[in-house]
Amino acid sequence: NEEHLLVRLKTGHNNFPEILITNPTLKEHFNYNIGDRIIVFANIQSCVHKNKRSTTLLAFNIRPVVDTNYEVYNSFELSGEVVKIISTQEYLTLVIRTNQNNHESFVPTVFYHRDRYLDTIEVGDEISVSGIIQTSKKEINNEIRHYQNYVGSTKSLLCVS
C-alpha cells in the first residue's frame, strides 16, 4: 500500500520485528538507512484479514539512538483482559484484549515457562505483562514469510482483577 511504510528491524541475532508506519508525519520524516540504530514506539494492533486474525506493530514515535552503548532489544508491555487461554504441555497462551486509541485488539501472548502463579489466571482477569517480540521466518512456495510471537515473562505478570 502506497500510504504505508513497512520497516523490518534487526534487534538481535535472529529477531526481525516488522513495524508498520501509517502516520504521514512519521513517514515524511523517516530518513533512516540500513544499519542506523533507532528506537521505535509502537502499539500492538490486531486485525482480521481473510478470516484470519493477525497482529501488527503500529509505530507512533521513532527516534535515533544517540548512545552507542545502548543495547538493542525488542520488548513489549500490555494490559488488558484475558479472553482466552490455550494450554499445552510446552506452553500457555493468554489471548489478551487491549484497547488503545479506541481500537480493540486481541494479542496472543505465549508463556514458555509455566509456574503456579500463571496457572491461577482465568478468563476475565485483568492483567499487565511485559516480554519480548520473537520472530521467525519460513519459506513457503519460494516466498519467505515472517512471523512474530509475543513471549510473556512470568516475572512481569501482574493480575489486577
Side-chain angles (χ1 to χ4, degrees):
N1 189 333
E2 290 179 27
E3 298 177 23
H4 305 320
L5 176 63
L6 192 61
V7 178
R8 187 169 306 284
L9 304 176
K10 182 175 183 183
T11 61
H13 178 64
N14 281 327
N15 274 320
F16 298 89
E18 197 171 77
I19 310 293
L20 184 62
I21 303 170
T22 60
N23 179 303
T25 305
L26 280 182
K27 286 190 318 188
E28 183 179 319
H29 293 96
F30 190 87
N31 56 359
Y32 302 103
N33 297 302
I34 292 174
D36 288 349
R37 294 169 54 98
I38 61 175
I39 298 173
V40 177
F41 298 90
N43 288 323
I44 302 172
Q45 186 169 311
S46 66
C47 62
V48 177
H49 180 70
K50 295 182 180 177
N51 293 327
K52 185 168 174 122
R53 185 174 299 279
S54 65
T55 57
T56 300
L57 294 168
L58 191 60
F60 64 84
N61 192 356
I62 302 171
R63 65 179 195 226
V65 173
V66 292
D67 180 358
T68 57
N69 294 320
Y70 186 80
E71 186 178 339
V72 177
Y73 64 98
N74 53 337
S75 64
F76 71 91
E77 294 178 0
L78 60 89
S79 295
E81 179 188 1
V82 176
V83 294
K84 186 175 185 180
I85 299 173
I86 303 163
S87 181
T88 72
Q89 292 283 42
E90 295 83 33
Y91 61 87
L92 183 92
T93 300
L94 302 178
V95 178
I96 303 167
R97 178 176 38 216
T98 64
N99 192 326
Q100 288 283 339
N101 303 320
N102 293 321
H103 182 87
E104 188 174 71
S105 292
F106 297 85
V107 183
T109 307
V110 179
F111 295 86
Y112 290 114
H113 304 289
R114 295 179 68 154
D115 61 22
R116 282 182 274 130
Y117 180 69
L118 188 58
D119 289 332
T120 66
I121 302 293
E122 297 178 350
V123 170
D125 285 348
E126 292 285 333
I127 65 168
S128 291
V129 66
S130 64
I132 64 164
I133 303 164
Q134 181 185 64
T135 63
S136 62
K137 63 182 179 179
K138 292 181 183 176
E139 186 174 330
I140 300 172
N141 298 329
N142 294 326
E143 180 183 334
I144 294 189
R145 294 189 183 174
H146 294 268
Y147 299 91
Q148 295 183 158
N149 291 318
Y150 302 94
V151 181
S153 167
T154 55
K155 293 177 183 174
S156 72
L157 185 63
L158 176 65
C159 185
V160 293
S161 61

